[in-house]
Amino acid sequence: MNTTTIAQVKNHLEETVTIGAWLHNKRSSGKIAFLQLRDGTGFIQGVVAKAAVPEEIFNLTKNLTQETSLYVTGKVVEDTRSPLGFELQVSNVEVIQEAEDYPITPKEHGTEFLMDHRHLWLRSKKQHAIMKVRNEIIRSTYEFFNEQGFVKVDPPILTGASAEGTTELFHTKYFDEDAYLSQSGQLYMEAAAMALGRVFSFGPTFRAEKSKTRRHLIEFWMIEPEMAFMNHEQSLELQEQYVSHVVQSVLKNCKIELDTLERDTSKLEKIEAPFPRITYDDAIQFLKDQGFDDIDWGDDFGAPHETAIAEAYDKPVFITHFPVEIKAFYMKPDPDNPKVALCADLIAPEGYGEIIGGSERIDDFELMKQRYNEHELDGQAYEWYLQLRKYGSVPHSGFGLGLERTVAWISGIEHIRETIPFPRLLNRLYP
RNA sequence: UCCAGCGUAGCUCAGUGGUAGAGCAAUCGGCUGUUAACCGAUUGGUCGCAGGUUCGAAUCCUGCCGCUGGAGCCA
């Protein structure tokens, strides 16, 4: 048996092949049936002509139900009407398991129903495309950082204390001790950078915030690079190269998926380094000029503010030099103006919000100790972090990219819950 | 947590005080190039739950539950 996958049929033109597949949808008439087949690698149409197959095969085909699993044998032929460019002239169909009453029909469904059936919803064309884009972002992330000489390091998920002391953490027990699920691997990545130079992590992160918006998940994945001997400006350059690489990789390797998602790729094609930059001071002034009277120097931006700033550009935009009070304790103050930090948020275009937060880190022992006191951090839990400033401290910078927001932006989808296979949301722990 | 909206067939919805409806799905039949195929027929109901008003409630009122959208917090 000449078995293959839908992604590989292009290598079997005019050959007869067998594909393991599920019946995605079906259209039939008296003497011809069209089987919409999917096998995970892609979608292809199988054409069953009554004249070309034994009668029992044609009758079987007519009664196939949605999501029935099959072995389909047929000849691969070119067809310009197919998005794939090929279709299958079916000669035999073997049912593996007949699916009855598949809940997700070809018509429209509500969000609650689809989320309750997320384990099946993933099979749909749009969700399949999003997962492929997500995978390409992950693949090109590894590619980029490997090419740049980074080492992947895995920080712990169970931690004894908060990394930033701000957000709500998930609490659990670690035998007789209290423990928390990681909200950032950053502090550990700083330690790793002092050992390996340039490092990046990719892992889950947990925030017990009661956030209920299209941009928030309770459990999400972050990419956190950390670079020794790199200042804030050099970090921004790396960030814009990284994001550009990811966008261009998706454009190159996910053409069918972006087409399925009806993404306006002309907007993505513009995403090339360098990215525009605006200081926090100028951003506040810009917003006031735009008529926002609900924000003053020292406030953090809300979603409408971020969107207004992003809409002024057709690339992601860095907002730099935030007031130190509204940023994390470890960010290095600007030597020219200690009221602001050497930091930047990267705001995605089209209203998708912040996708990166980064900064140069404090490398001075005394200043870091002072920050501990100001933020009332538990000295014991952070003792090891302080030691990094004691034994050969060097200038270093890092940032964190939110994977799901990046997937949402590049895919052009409305809600972040569709960017992760099984989203954890405020009121959803199943499936 | 706050603000707003919505809960009617398996799904998506209409019905706003007087006999419970449509499209899709499912089942049966028809159709040789369909693209959420189309055409005909059949099946399908604790109107979220509890209480109240009324001769009469899916419809009006109160409470609860669930969901959706937005805000705050953040990536």
Side-chain angles (χ1 to χ4, degrees), chain A residues 219-287:
Chain A
E219 176 183 309
F220 65 97
W221 287 64
M222 273 208 298
I223 290 140
E224 294 185 284
E226 194 71 34
M227 299 79 69
F229 306 107
M230 199 177 268
N231 65 26
H232 176 240
E233 176 57 32
Q234 292 168 314
S235 175
L236 293 190
E237 287 168 17
L238 183 83
Q239 290 171 45
E240 59 197 10
Q241 284 165 21
Y242 165 47
V243 172
S244 302
H245 177 78
V246 165
V247 171
Q248 296 304 321
S249 295
V250 173
L251 277 171
K252 186 178 160 199
N253 298 320
C254 294
K255 286 196 170 70
I256 290 175
E257 287 79 10
L258 292 172
D259 191 50
T260 297
L261 295 166
E262 295 175 338
R263 183 67 168 105
D264 180 355
T265 50
S266 68
K267 289 185 172 160
L268 295 179
E269 279 155 15
K270 293 176 187 158
I271 310 304
E272 292 267 20
F275 295 162
R277 290 152 205 215
I278 180 172
T279 62
Y280 174 88
D281 288 14
D282 289 346
I284 293 287
Q285 190 58 50
F286 169 82
L287 290 170

Side-chain angles (χ1 to χ4, degrees), chain A residues 65-340:
Chain A
T65 54
Q66 198 187 347
E67 290 303 316
T68 287
S69 45
L70 308 162
Y71 289 116
V72 180
T73 303
K75 189 164 87 170
V76 179
V77 295
E78 266 185 298
D79 196 299
T80 51
R81 290 167 290 194
S82 157
L84 189 69
F86 305 94
E87 59 180 31
L88 209 57
Q89 287 181 347
V90 176
S91 53
N92 193 29
V93 174
E94 183 190 336
V95 172
I96 300 168
Q97 194 247 333
E98 187 180 338
E100 277 181 62
D101 295 325
Y102 186 69
I104 302 179
T105 63
K107 291 283 174 177
E108 62 202 28
H109 299 282
T111 302
E112 185 187 4
F113 179 81
L114 289 169
M115 289 301 297
D116 284 342
H117 295 86
R118 182 62 176 169
H119 52 296
L120 303 175
W121 189 22
L122 283 169
R123 302 180 182 194
S124 77
K125 215 165 188 172
K126 183 181 173 190
Q127 300 307 313
H128 178 265
I130 295 167
M131 290 306 127
K132 294 289 285 279
V133 170
R134 179 187 170 101
N135 178 66
E136 179 59 21
I137 292 170
I138 295 167
R139 191 204 63 76
S140 58
T141 291
Y142 276 75
E143 180 179 74
F144 177 84
F145 287 112
N146 281 320
E147 281 173 2
Q148 298 281 330
F150 281 64
V151 177
K152 178 159 181 283
V153 170
D154 304 314
I157 289 168
L158 287 166
T159 61
S162 151
E164 305 192 4
T166 52
T167 50
E168 294 288 323
L169 303 178
F170 277 100
H171 175 252
T172 185
K173 296 302 283 183
Y174 195 77
F175 305 109
D176 295 332
E177 285 181 76
D178 286 315
Y180 302 91
L181 298 186
S182 171
Q183 49 130 227
S184 166
Q186 195 216 294
L187 305 189
Y188 300 97
M189 296 309 289
E190 287 188 52
M194 300 305 127
L196 295 150
R198 292 182 173 196
V199 293
F200 76 107
S201 69
F202 175 54
T205 183
F206 308 88
R207 307 272 167 100
E209 298 282 351
K210 304 227 168 184
S211 300
K212 192 180 179 304
T213 82
R214 73 180 74 175
R215 295 180 306 279
H216 287 85
L217 291 167
I218 304 301
E219 176 183 309
F220 65 97
W221 287 64
M222 273 208 298
I223 290 140
E224 294 185 284
E226 194 71 34
M227 299 79 69
F229 306 107
M230 199 177 268
N231 65 26
H232 176 240
E233 176 57 32
Q234 292 168 314
S235 175
L236 293 190
E237 287 168 17
L238 183 83
Q239 290 171 45
E240 59 197 10
Q241 284 165 21
Y242 165 47
V243 172
S244 302
H245 177 78
V246 165
V247 171
Q248 296 304 321
S249 295
V250 173
L251 277 171
K252 186 178 160 199
N253 298 320
C254 294
K255 286 196 170 70
I256 290 175
E257 287 79 10
L258 292 172
D259 191 50
T260 297
L261 295 166
E262 295 175 338
R263 183 67 168 105
D264 180 355
T265 50
S266 68
K267 289 185 172 160
L268 295 179
E269 279 155 15
K270 293 176 187 158
I271 310 304
E272 292 267 20
F275 295 162
R277 290 152 205 215
I278 180 172
T279 62
Y280 174 88
D281 288 14
D282 289 346
I284 293 287
Q285 190 58 50
F286 169 82
L287 290 170
K288 285 184 182 294
D289 292 346
Q290 293 278 305
F292 286 92
D293 53 7
D294 57 344
I295 189 156
D296 284 301
W297 201 95
D299 296 335
D300 209 347
F301 299 120
H305 306 124
E306 282 184 356
T307 302
I309 294 165
E311 277 172 357
Y313 305 91
D314 56 5
K315 288 184 187 184
V317 53
F318 287 112
I319 305 176
T320 69
H321 301 86
F322 283 78
V324 290
E325 285 79 17
I326 58 172
K327 286 293 175 185
F329 73 94
Y330 49 72
M331 293 188 178
K332 185 173 183 170
D334 185 350
D336 298 330
N337 177 9
K339 292 173 93 159
V340 301

Side-chain angles (χ1 to χ4, degrees), chain A residues 373-385:
Chain A
N373 295 331
E374 286 167 11
H375 287 78
E376 296 173 345
L377 297 172
D378 177 355
Q380 211 172 358
Y382 289 92
E383 174 60 25
W384 64 267
Y385 184 66

